[in-house]
Amino acid sequence: MAIMSVAAARRAEAIGRTVTVRGWVRTRRDAKGFSFLELNDGSSQGNLQVIADQSLSNYADEIASLATGSSISVEGEVVASGGGKQPTELKATRVVVYGGADPETYPLQKKRHTYEKLREWAHLRPRTNTFGGVMRVRNRLARSIHDFFQEDGFLYVNTPIITSSDCEGAGAMFRVTTLDLDKPPRVEGKIDASRDFFGKPTFLTVSGQLEAEIFACSLGKVYTFGPTFRAENSNTSRHLAEFWMIEPEMAFYDLNDNMELAERFLKRLIGDALRDCAEDMQFFDQWVEKGQIELLQGIVDKPFIRLPYTEAIGILESCGRTFEYPVSWGMDLQSEHERYLTETHFQAPVILHDYPRSLKPFYMYCNDDGRTVRAMDVLVPKVGEIIGGSQREDRLDVLEARMKEQGLEPADYWWYLDLRRYGSVPHAGFGLGFERIVQFVTGMGNIRDVIPCPRTPGSAEF
Ligand code: ATP
Ligand code: MN
């Protein structure tokens, strides 16, 4: 007998077919002589209504007492629904019960729990409407990311997770070691890293960019999509210690090309989610963030604002608002400033570019003004920074000088400098935080609720 998903069995085309559907019972309602079971298998936001008649052999023993959370398989005919919102229902001819779920202890009963509470049950929360929806949107976005780049001639490359170079002082790094932490080998009081597994200190990567540049400077257009780790002790709603990042890197691109790509990319991801996750997006619009669909549609339809950092400072200084951190040229913009620009002043995504060079890492291209570098950050309402990128410094002498200025030893980056020594080309790229885009699309307020297993300071269950 054909196995069918709940999503497929809910469509009118399924009417008349005899199928098996398997999943978890959301609710059971009893009527005279039969029961309604709401069945969900993760394939869609909506449930399939199952009608189980008392003539079924295990009706009295099992079906009539089925509890929320139980797993079952149902054979039957898909019929036109007698009423209600969905076009179909399943008339059961056989119901097999796999596992029960004691209502005294199973946490996901009818009552709506807070997201904080659900984080304690991260292993069960994908069975809720919200987290099922988040995971389906996350999946759609992941697929769109690959589609977008593959259709545009990019190569997918995998950069290392264990690294010996600190990309940008982007945040504190997690050390990777096999040394005995109780009695590590020492020379002159210091830990002897030459006796560690790799013969030198190694860390979990904070960004694949430097390695992605190798492949851009040989294969043209590439992108990475992989895990990234930052040991920053920031307990915010937008930071994780382990997150996924997408990093395109393109030879022969300047900062304008980079901005154009970032805008096209974000619009494609949002547009795909609105079209292909319509039911989930309706759910988020209704239950998580009112007006979410309209906000996203507006972002797809309107051009992003492009604004030099220096002009942004002018706007912030003269806007009449008092910020917690006072504004002056040369400062790193705080979340309150970024959000003022994108949410209040422009009410649109803003690409801030040409930042003070003192704020940015060594690899960003230095402008002729001597004060700024060709950096860009894409800011969006509610989330703030979603993308950070730049045109890279492709002049050997300038790059070496910048490294020294920032206290880095050029010899440690010999391979990176070789890319400028042999056939150097202008190139550019950016990083999109995957969980930030999932957050932005779903409207979920906390980044911990858009990743399967959130890792944050003090928390790494299973
Ligand atoms: P922020 O200022 O928000 O801390 P950043 O400037 O340190 O971010 P980048 O080094 O530019 O971040 O990283 C590129 C992108 O990765 C960011 O634009 C953001 O989308 C994402 N990102 C950075 N840090 C985190 C984090 N700790 N958790 C989740 N996503 C992150
Ligand atoms: Mn950034």
Side-chain angles (χ1 to χ4, degrees), residues 309 329-331 354-360 371-373 402:
Y309 169 92
W329 199 96
M331 75 175 302
D354 292 296
Y355 280 74
R357 58 187 273 166
S358 56
L359 294 180
K360 294 292 182 181
R371 316 203 297 159
T372 60
V373 288
R402 279 280 282 166

Side-chain angles (χ1 to χ4, degrees), residues 6-78:
V6 164
R10 287 175 70 233
R11 293 189 201 112
E13 303 89 83
I15 291 171
R17 293 196 53 192
T18 300
V19 298
T20 301
V21 183
R22 307 179 287 196
W24 292 266
V25 174
R26 284 292 178 85
T27 58
R28 192 196 81 242
R29 248 178 339 113
D30 300 322
K32 204 168 160 41
F34 63 94
S35 297
F36 291 112
L37 308 174
E38 292 287 327
L39 190 64
N40 195 286
D41 66 353
S43 60
S44 70
Q45 180 67 235
N47 305 322
L48 177 65
Q49 177 158 288
V50 174
I51 299 161
D53 193 86
Q54 64 179 3
S55 60
L56 294 166
S57 62
N58 58 343
Y59 184 83
D61 290 349
E62 290 187 309
I63 299 172
S65 56
L66 267 178
T68 296
S70 307
S71 49
I72 61 171
S73 124
V74 185
E75 280 174 31
E77 189 190 347
V78 182

Side-chain angles (χ1 to χ4, degrees), residues 168 230 232 238-240 243 245 385-388 431 433 436 447:
E168 40 191 307
R230 296 191 184 177
E232 51 199 352
R238 299 172 305 108
H239 289 89
L240 292 162
F243 62 101
M245 187 142 66
E385 178 185 331
I386 198 163
I387 280 179
R436 298 243 177 122
I447 197 163

Side-chain angles (χ1 to χ4, degrees), residues 160-169 173 200-211 362 408 412-413 415-416:
I161 290 167
I162 299 173
T163 175
S164 59
S165 56
D166 176 358
C167 179
E168 40 191 307
M173 302 179 88
K200 54 159 95 166
T202 50
F203 308 89
L204 294 178
T205 185
V206 294
S207 161
Q209 179 206 317
L210 300 188
E211 293 89 353
F362 68 92
L408 296 171
D412 293 343
Y413 293 84
W415 56 272
Y416 190 71

Side-chain angles (χ1 to χ4, degrees), residues 383-396:
V383 171
E385 178 185 331
I386 198 163
I387 280 179
S390 65
Q391 183 175 330
R392 317 307 187 191
E393 184 54 75
D394 58 296
R395 297 162 297 185
L396 181 63

